[in-house]
Amino acid sequence: QAAAFLDSRDADKRAKLIDALLASPQFGEQLGRTWRDWICPPELPSDANGGRQPQNEAQNLGKWLGTRFTAGDSWDTIVRDILTVEGDIKTRPQVIFFGLVGEGGRTTPGGSARAVGSLFMGVQLQCAECHDDPYRSWAQREHWSLAAFFGKVNGDFNKIAEPITSKSTAQIVIPKSAFKNAGTKVPAAYPDGKP
């Protein structure tokens, strides 16, 4: 392939090669493995997952993502299917996302907000969980407003019982573990403040 590419006199050979590579199943598989490693890093602590490493489940998530990328599914559709998953990990590999972002293998609103912020929105909200972030423009209220979207999601490493829908909880109470503003009710809103 390399020799054919170098020998080609086609003016569009680079663009055609890129299109061919992006259309190959190997591209989808590699992108699936890449996202699997971001969602389920290999160095996951086993104590947060009920005392065991979820290697098979992580592999299945990578395959699921790879299949979706190869099929040409849009990123917003894939993320929506991760965030609105309902069922068990045996039939819905994306359940692992919620099993890994909470505490003790159980999903939590705060953990879900942190993971969604960093993985899918490109923002770090973990400092804003307990106080306004002094280095970024994220307030504690914004962290917990995002967490409110995940207030009714319940489940553990193996099963998610209620997906996120537009009818999910409209507010959350900042827990005592957040120290500052504990007990304050915060309505669900996007990080820019739009409810």
Coordinates of all heavy atoms in Angstrom, one line a residue, residues 95-174:
V95 N -23.0 0.3 30.0 CA -23.4 0.4 31.4 C -22.1 0.6 32.2 O -22.1 1.3 33.3 CB -24.1 -0.9 31.8 CG1 -24.1 -1.0 33.4 CG2 -25.6 -0.8 31.3
I96 N -21.0 0.1 31.7 CA -19.7 0.2 32.5 C -19.4 1.7 32.8 O -18.8 2.0 33.8 CB -18.5 -0.5 31.7 CG1 -17.4 -0.7 32.7 CG2 -18.2 0.3 30.5 CD1 -16.2 -1.5 32.1
F97 N -19.8 2.6 31.9 CA -19.5 4.0 32.1 C -20.0 4.4 33.5 O -19.3 5.0 34.3 CB -20.2 4.9 31.0 CG -20.1 6.4 31.3 CD1 -18.9 7.1 31.2 CD2 -21.2 7.0 31.8 CE1 -18.8 8.4 31.5 CE2 -21.1 8.4 32.1 CZ -19.9 9.1 32.0
F98 N -21.3 4.2 33.8 CA -21.8 4.6 35.1 C -21.3 3.8 36.3 O -21.1 4.3 37.4 CB -23.4 4.5 35.1 CG -24.0 5.6 34.3 CD1 -24.5 5.4 33.1 CD2 -24.0 6.9 34.8 CE1 -25.1 6.4 32.3 CE2 -24.6 7.9 34.0 CZ -25.1 7.7 32.8
G99 N -20.9 2.5 36.0 CA -20.3 1.7 37.1 C -19.0 2.2 37.5 O -18.5 2.0 38.6
L100 N -18.3 3.0 36.6 CA -16.9 3.4 36.9 C -16.8 4.8 37.4 O -15.8 5.3 37.9 CB -16.1 3.3 35.7 CG -15.9 1.9 35.2 CD1 -15.1 1.9 33.9 CD2 -15.2 1.0 36.2
V101 N -17.9 5.6 37.3 CA -17.8 7.0 37.7 C -18.4 7.4 39.0 O -18.5 8.6 39.4 CB -18.5 7.9 36.6 CG1 -17.8 7.7 35.3 CG2 -20.0 7.7 36.5
G102 N -18.8 6.4 39.8 CA -19.4 6.7 41.1 C -18.4 6.3 42.2 O -17.2 6.5 42.1
E103 N -19.0 5.7 43.2 CA -18.2 5.3 44.4 C -18.5 3.8 44.7 O -19.7 3.5 44.7 CB -18.5 6.1 45.6 CG -18.0 7.6 45.4 CD -18.4 8.5 46.5 OE1 -18.7 7.9 47.6 OE2 -18.4 9.7 46.3
G104 N -17.5 3.0 44.9 CA -17.8 1.6 45.3 C -18.5 0.8 44.2 O -19.2 -0.1 44.5
G105 N -18.3 1.2 42.9 CA -19.0 0.5 41.9 C -20.4 0.9 41.7 O -21.2 0.3 40.9
R106 N -20.9 1.9 42.4 CA -22.3 2.4 42.2 C -22.2 3.8 41.7 O -21.4 4.6 42.1 CB -23.0 2.4 43.6 CG -23.2 1.0 44.2 CD -24.2 0.9 45.2 NE -25.5 1.3 44.8 CZ -26.4 0.5 44.1 NH1 -26.0 -0.7 43.7 NH2 -27.6 0.9 43.8
T107 N -23.1 4.1 40.8 CA -23.2 5.4 40.2 C -23.6 6.5 41.2 O -24.4 6.2 42.1 CB -24.1 5.4 38.9 OG1 -24.0 6.7 38.3 CG2 -25.6 5.2 39.3
T108 N -23.0 7.7 41.0 CA -23.4 8.8 41.8 C -23.5 10.0 40.9 O -22.9 10.1 39.9 CB -22.3 9.2 42.9 OG1 -21.1 9.5 42.2 CG2 -22.0 8.0 43.8
P109 N -24.4 11.0 41.3 CA -24.6 12.2 40.4 C -23.3 13.0 40.3 O -23.0 13.4 39.2 CB -25.7 13.0 41.2 CG -26.4 12.0 42.0 CD -25.4 10.9 42.4
G110 N -22.6 13.2 41.4 CA -21.3 13.9 41.3 C -20.3 13.3 40.4 O -19.6 13.9 39.6
G111 N -20.1 12.0 40.6 CA -19.2 11.3 39.7 C -19.6 11.3 38.3 O -18.7 11.4 37.4
S112 N -20.9 11.2 38.0 CA -21.4 11.2 36.6 C -21.1 12.6 36.0 O -20.6 12.7 34.9 CB -22.9 10.9 36.6 OG -23.1 9.6 37.0
A113 N -21.3 13.7 36.8 CA -21.1 15.0 36.3 C -19.6 15.2 36.0 O -19.2 15.8 34.9 CB -21.5 16.1 37.3
R114 N -18.7 14.8 36.9 CA -17.2 14.9 36.6 C -16.9 14.2 35.3 O -16.1 14.7 34.5 CB -16.5 14.3 37.8 CG -16.4 15.1 39.0 CD -15.3 14.5 40.0 NE -15.5 13.1 40.3 CZ -16.3 12.6 41.2 NH1 -17.0 13.4 42.0 NH2 -16.4 11.3 41.4
A115 N -17.3 12.9 35.2 CA -17.0 12.2 34.0 C -17.5 12.7 32.7 O -16.8 12.8 31.7 CB -17.4 10.7 34.2
V116 N -18.8 13.2 32.7 CA -19.4 13.8 31.5 C -18.7 15.1 31.2 O -18.4 15.3 30.0 CB -20.9 14.0 31.7 CG1 -21.5 14.9 30.7 CG2 -21.6 12.7 31.8
G117 N -18.3 15.9 32.2 CA -17.6 17.1 32.0 C -16.3 16.8 31.3 O -15.9 17.5 30.3
S118 N -15.5 15.9 31.8 CA -14.1 15.7 31.2 C -14.2 14.9 30.0 O -13.5 15.3 29.0 CB -13.2 15.0 32.3 OG -13.7 13.8 32.6
L119 N -15.0 13.8 29.9 CA -14.9 13.0 28.7 C -15.7 13.6 27.5 O -15.2 13.5 26.4 CB -15.5 11.6 29.0 CG -14.7 10.7 29.8 CD1 -15.4 9.5 30.3 CD2 -13.5 10.2 29.0
F120 N -16.9 14.1 27.8 CA -17.7 14.5 26.7 C -17.9 16.0 26.4 O -18.3 16.5 25.4 CB -19.1 13.9 26.9 CG -19.1 12.4 27.0 CD1 -19.7 11.8 28.1 CD2 -18.4 11.6 26.1 CE1 -19.7 10.4 28.2 CE2 -18.4 10.2 26.3 CZ -19.0 9.6 27.3
M121 N -17.5 16.8 27.4 CA -17.6 18.3 27.3 C -16.2 19.0 27.2 O -16.1 20.1 27.0 CB -18.4 18.8 28.4 CG -19.9 18.3 28.4 SD -20.8 18.7 29.8 CE -21.2 20.4 29.4
G122 N -15.2 18.2 27.6 CA -13.8 18.8 27.6 C -13.6 19.8 28.7 O -12.7 20.7 28.5
V123 N -14.3 19.7 29.8 CA -14.1 20.6 30.9 C -13.8 19.8 32.2 O -14.3 18.7 32.4 CB -15.3 21.6 31.1 CG1 -15.5 22.5 29.9 CG2 -16.5 20.8 31.4
Q124 N -13.0 20.4 33.1 CA -12.7 19.7 34.3 C -13.5 20.4 35.4 O -13.4 21.5 35.7 CB -11.2 19.9 34.7 CG -10.3 19.2 33.6 CD -10.5 17.7 33.6 OE1 -10.7 17.1 34.6 NE2 -10.5 17.2 32.3
L125 N -14.4 19.6 36.0 CA -15.3 20.1 37.0 C -15.1 19.6 38.4 O -15.8 20.0 39.3 CB -16.8 19.7 36.6 CG -17.3 20.3 35.3 CD1 -18.7 19.7 35.0 CD2 -17.4 21.8 35.4
Q126 N -14.1 18.7 38.6 CA -13.9 18.1 39.9 C -13.6 19.1 41.0 O -14.0 18.9 42.1 CB -12.8 17.0 39.8 CG -11.4 17.4 39.5 CD -11.1 17.4 38.0 OE1 -12.0 17.4 37.2 NE2 -9.8 17.3 37.7
C127 N -12.9 20.2 40.7 CA -12.6 21.1 41.8 C -13.9 21.8 42.2 O -14.1 22.2 43.4 CB -11.6 22.2 41.4 SG -9.9 21.5 41.4
A128 N -14.8 22.0 41.3 CA -16.0 22.7 41.5 C -17.0 21.9 42.3 O -18.1 22.4 42.6 CB -16.7 23.2 40.2
E129 N -16.7 20.6 42.5 CA -17.6 19.8 43.3 C -17.7 20.3 44.7 O -18.8 20.3 45.3 CB -17.1 18.4 43.3 CG -18.0 17.4 43.9 CD -17.7 15.9 43.7 OE1 -16.7 15.7 42.9 OE2 -18.3 15.1 44.3
C130 N -16.6 20.8 45.3 CA -16.6 21.2 46.7 C -16.6 22.8 46.9 O -16.9 23.3 47.9 CB -15.4 20.6 47.4 SG -15.5 18.8 47.5
H131 N -16.1 23.5 45.8 CA -16.0 24.9 45.9 C -15.9 25.5 44.5 O -15.7 24.8 43.6 CB -14.8 25.3 46.8 CG -13.5 24.7 46.3 ND1 -12.8 25.1 45.2 CD2 -12.9 23.6 46.7 CE1 -11.8 24.4 45.0 NE2 -11.8 23.4 45.9
D132 N -16.0 26.8 44.4 CA -15.8 27.4 43.1 C -14.3 27.2 42.7 O -13.4 27.3 43.5 CB -16.1 28.9 43.2 CG -17.5 29.2 43.4 OD1 -18.4 28.3 43.3 OD2 -17.9 30.4 43.7
D133 N -14.1 26.8 41.5 CA -12.7 26.5 41.0 C -12.0 27.8 40.8 O -12.3 28.7 40.0 CB -12.8 25.8 39.6 CG -11.5 25.2 39.2 OD1 -10.5 25.8 39.5 OD2 -11.5 24.2 38.5
P134 N -10.9 28.0 41.6 CA -10.1 29.2 41.5 C -9.3 29.4 40.2 O -8.8 30.5 39.9 CB -9.2 29.1 42.7 CG -9.0 27.7 43.0 CD -10.3 27.0 42.6
Y135 N -9.1 28.3 39.5 CA -8.3 28.4 38.3 C -9.1 28.3 37.0 O -8.5 28.5 35.9 CB -7.2 27.2 38.3 CG -6.4 27.2 39.5 CD1 -6.6 26.3 40.5 CD2 -5.4 28.2 39.7 CE1 -5.8 26.3 41.7 CE2 -4.7 28.3 40.9 CZ -4.9 27.3 41.9 OH -4.1 27.4 43.0
R136 N -10.3 28.0 37.1 CA -11.2 28.0 35.9 C -12.5 28.7 36.3 O -12.7 29.1 37.4 CB -11.5 26.5 35.5 CG -10.3 25.8 35.1 CD -10.7 24.3 34.9 NE -9.5 23.4 34.7 CZ -8.8 22.9 35.7 NH1 -9.2 23.1 37.0 NH2 -7.7 22.2 35.5
S137 N -13.3 29.0 35.3 CA -14.5 29.7 35.5 C -15.7 28.9 35.9 O -16.8 29.2 35.6 CB -14.8 30.6 34.3 OG -15.1 29.7 33.2
W138 N -15.5 27.7 36.6 CA -16.6 26.9 37.0 C -16.9 27.1 38.5 O -16.1 27.0 39.4 CB -16.2 25.4 36.8 CG -15.9 25.2 35.3 CD1 -14.7 24.8 34.8 CD2 -16.7 25.3 34.2 NE1 -14.7 24.7 33.5 CE2 -16.0 25.0 33.1 CE3 -18.1 25.6 34.0 CZ2 -16.5 25.0 31.8 CZ3 -18.6 25.7 32.8 CH2 -17.8 25.4 31.7
A139 N -18.2 27.3 38.7 CA -18.7 27.5 40.1 C -19.2 26.2 40.6 O -19.6 25.3 39.8 CB -19.8 28.5 40.1
Q140 N -19.2 26.0 41.9 CA -19.8 24.8 42.5 C -21.2 24.6 42.1 O -21.6 23.5 41.8 CB -19.7 24.9 44.0 CG -20.2 23.6 44.7 CD -20.3 23.8 46.2 OE1 -20.6 24.9 46.7 NE2 -20.0 22.7 46.9
R141 N -21.9 25.6 42.0 CA -23.3 25.5 41.5 C -23.4 24.9 40.1 O -24.3 24.1 39.9 CB -24.0 26.9 41.6 CG -25.4 26.9 41.2 CD -26.0 28.3 41.4 NE -27.4 28.3 41.3 CZ -28.2 28.0 42.3 NH1 -27.7 27.8 43.5 NH2 -29.5 28.0 42.2
E142 N -22.5 25.2 39.3 CA -22.5 24.6 37.9 C -22.3 23.1 37.9 O -22.9 22.4 37.2 CB -21.5 25.3 37.0 CG -21.9 26.7 36.7 CD -20.9 27.5 35.9 OE1 -19.8 27.7 36.4 OE2 -21.1 27.8 34.7
H143 N -21.3 22.7 38.8 CA -21.0 21.3 38.9 C -22.3 20.5 39.3 O -22.7 19.5 38.7 CB -19.9 21.0 39.9 CG -19.8 19.6 40.2 ND1 -19.1 18.7 39.5 CD2 -20.3 18.8 41.3 CE1 -19.2 17.5 40.0 NE2 -19.9 17.5 41.1
W144 N -22.9 21.0 40.4 CA -24.1 20.3 40.9 C -25.3 20.5 40.0 O -26.2 19.6 40.0 CB -24.4 20.7 42.4 CG -23.3 20.1 43.2 CD1 -22.2 20.8 43.8 CD2 -23.1 18.8 43.5 NE1 -21.4 19.9 44.4 CE2 -21.9 18.6 44.3 CE3 -23.9 17.6 43.2 CZ2 -21.5 17.4 44.7 CZ3 -23.4 16.4 43.7 CH2 -22.3 16.3 44.4
S145 N -25.4 21.6 39.3 CA -26.5 21.7 38.3 C -26.4 20.6 37.2 O -27.4 20.0 36.8 CB -26.5 23.1 37.6 OG -26.8 24.1 38.6
L146 N -25.2 20.3 36.8 CA -24.9 19.3 35.8 C -25.2 17.9 36.5 O -25.9 17.0 35.9 CB -23.5 19.3 35.3 CG -23.2 18.2 34.2 CD1 -24.1 18.3 33.0 CD2 -21.7 18.3 33.8
A147 N -24.8 17.7 37.7 CA -25.1 16.5 38.5 C -26.6 16.2 38.6 O -27.0 15.1 38.7 CB -24.4 16.6 39.8
A148 N -27.4 17.3 38.7 CA -28.8 17.1 38.8 C -29.4 16.3 37.7 O -30.4 15.6 37.9 CB -29.5 18.5 38.9
F149 N -28.8 16.3 36.5 CA -29.3 15.5 35.4 C -29.2 14.0 35.7 O -29.9 13.2 35.1 CB -28.5 15.8 34.1 CG -28.9 17.1 33.5 CD1 -28.0 18.2 33.5 CD2 -30.1 17.3 32.8 CE1 -28.4 19.4 32.9 CE2 -30.4 18.5 32.2 CZ -29.6 19.5 32.3
F150 N -28.3 13.7 36.6 CA -28.0 12.3 36.9 C -28.6 11.9 38.3 O -28.2 10.8 38.8 CB -26.5 12.1 36.9 CG -25.8 12.4 35.6 CD1 -25.3 13.7 35.5 CD2 -25.9 11.6 34.5 CE1 -24.7 14.0 34.3 CE2 -25.3 11.9 33.3 CZ -24.7 13.2 33.2
G151 N -29.4 12.7 38.9 CA -29.9 12.5 40.2 C -30.7 11.2 40.4 O -30.8 10.7 41.5
K152 N -31.4 10.8 39.3 CA -32.3 9.6 39.5 C -31.6 8.4 38.8 O -32.2 7.3 38.9 CB -33.6 9.9 38.8 CG -34.5 10.7 39.6 CD -35.9 10.7 39.1 CE -36.9 11.5 40.0 NZ -38.2 11.5 39.4
V153 N -30.5 8.5 38.2 CA -29.8 7.4 37.7 C -29.4 6.5 38.8 O -28.7 7.0 39.7 CB -28.6 7.8 36.8 CG1 -27.9 6.5 36.3 CG2 -29.1 8.6 35.6
N154 N -29.8 5.2 38.8 CA -29.3 4.4 39.9 C -28.8 3.1 39.3 O -29.3 2.6 38.3 CB -30.3 4.2 41.0 CG -31.6 3.5 40.5 OD1 -31.5 2.4 39.8 ND2 -32.7 4.0 40.8
G155 N -27.9 2.5 39.9 CA -27.4 1.2 39.5 C -26.0 1.0 39.9 O -25.4 1.8 40.7
D156 N -25.4 0.0 39.4 CA -24.0 -0.3 39.8 C -23.2 -0.8 38.6 O -23.7 -0.5 37.5 CB -24.0 -1.4 40.9 CG -24.7 -2.7 40.5 OD1 -24.8 -3.0 39.3 OD2 -25.1 -3.5 41.4
F157 N -22.1 -1.4 38.9 CA -21.2 -1.8 37.8 C -21.9 -2.8 36.8 O -21.6 -2.8 35.7 CB -20.0 -2.5 38.5 CG -19.1 -3.1 37.5 CD1 -18.3 -2.2 36.8 CD2 -19.0 -4.4 37.2 CE1 -17.4 -2.7 35.8 CE2 -18.1 -4.9 36.3 CZ -17.3 -4.0 35.6
N158 N -22.9 -3.5 37.2 CA -23.6 -4.5 36.4 C -24.9 -4.0 35.7 O -25.3 -4.6 34.7 CB -23.8 -5.8 37.2 CG -22.5 -6.4 37.6 OD1 -21.7 -6.6 36.7 ND2 -22.4 -6.7 38.9
K159 N -25.6 -3.1 36.3 CA -26.9 -2.7 35.8 C -27.3 -1.3 36.1 O -27.0 -0.8 37.2 CB -27.9 -3.7 36.4 CG -29.3 -3.4 35.9 CD -30.3 -4.5 36.3 CE -31.7 -4.2 35.8 NZ -32.5 -5.3 35.7
I160 N -27.9 -0.6 35.2 CA -28.4 0.7 35.4 C -29.9 0.6 35.3 O -30.5 0.0 34.3 CB -27.9 1.7 34.3 CG1 -26.4 1.9 34.4 CG2 -28.6 3.0 34.4 CD1 -25.9 2.4 35.8
A161 N -30.6 1.0 36.3 CA -32.1 0.8 36.4 C -32.9 1.9 35.7 O -34.0 1.7 35.3 CB -32.5 0.6 37.8
E162 N -32.4 3.2 35.8 CA -33.2 4.3 35.2 C -32.3 5.1 34.4 O -31.3 5.7 34.8 CB -33.9 5.1 36.3 CG -34.8 6.2 35.7 CD -35.5 6.9 36.8 OE1 -35.7 6.3 37.9 OE2 -36.0 8.0 36.5
P163 N -32.6 5.3 33.1 CA -31.8 6.1 32.2 C -32.1 7.6 32.5 O -33.1 7.9 33.1 CB -32.2 5.7 30.8 CG -33.6 5.3 31.0 CD -33.7 4.7 32.3
I164 N -31.2 8.4 31.9 CA -31.4 9.9 32.0 C -32.4 10.2 30.9 O -32.3 9.9 29.7 CB -30.1 10.6 31.7 CG1 -29.1 10.2 32.7 CG2 -30.3 12.1 31.7 CD1 -27.7 10.5 32.3
T165 N -33.5 10.9 31.2 CA -34.5 11.4 30.3 C -34.8 12.9 30.6 O -34.3 13.4 31.6 CB -35.8 10.6 30.4 OG1 -36.4 10.9 31.6 CG2 -35.5 9.1 30.2
S166 N -35.5 13.5 29.7 CA -35.9 14.9 30.0 C -36.8 14.9 31.3 O -37.0 16.0 31.8 CB -36.7 15.4 28.8 OG -37.8 14.7 28.5
K167 N -37.3 13.8 31.7 CA -38.2 13.8 32.9 C -37.4 13.4 34.2 O -38.0 13.3 35.2 CB -39.3 12.8 32.7 CG -40.3 13.3 31.6 CD -41.4 12.3 31.4 CE -42.2 12.9 30.2 NZ -43.2 12.1 29.7
S168 N -36.1 13.3 34.0 CA -35.3 13.0 35.2 C -35.4 14.2 36.2 O -35.9 15.2 35.8 CB -33.8 12.7 34.8 OG -33.7 11.5 34.2
T169 N -34.8 14.0 37.4 CA -35.0 15.0 38.4 C -34.6 16.4 37.9 O -33.7 16.6 37.1 CB -34.1 14.6 39.6 OG1 -34.4 15.5 40.7 CG2 -32.6 14.6 39.3
A170 N -35.3 17.4 38.4 CA -35.1 18.7 38.0 C -34.2 19.5 39.0 O -33.8 20.6 38.7 CB -36.5 19.5 37.9
Q171 N -33.8 18.9 40.1 CA -33.0 19.5 41.0 C -32.2 18.5 41.9 O -32.5 17.3 41.8 CB -33.7 20.4 41.9 CG -34.7 19.8 42.8 CD -35.5 20.7 43.7 OE1 -35.4 21.9 43.5 NE2 -36.3 20.3 44.6
I172 N -31.2 19.0 42.5 CA -30.4 18.1 43.4 C -30.0 18.9 44.6 O -29.9 20.1 44.6 CB -29.1 17.6 42.7 CG1 -28.5 16.4 43.5 CG2 -28.1 18.7 42.4 CD1 -27.4 15.7 42.7
V173 N -29.8 18.2 45.8 CA -29.4 18.9 47.0 C -27.9 18.6 47.1 O -27.4 17.5 47.0 CB -30.1 18.3 48.2 CG1 -29.6 18.9 49.5 CG2 -31.6 18.6 48.1
I174 N -27.1 19.7 47.2 CA -25.7 19.5 47.4 C -25.4 18.7 48.6 O -25.8 19.1 49.7 CB -24.9 20.9 47.4 CG1 -25.2 21.6 46.1 CG2 -23.4 20.7 47.7 CD1 -24.6 23.0 46.1

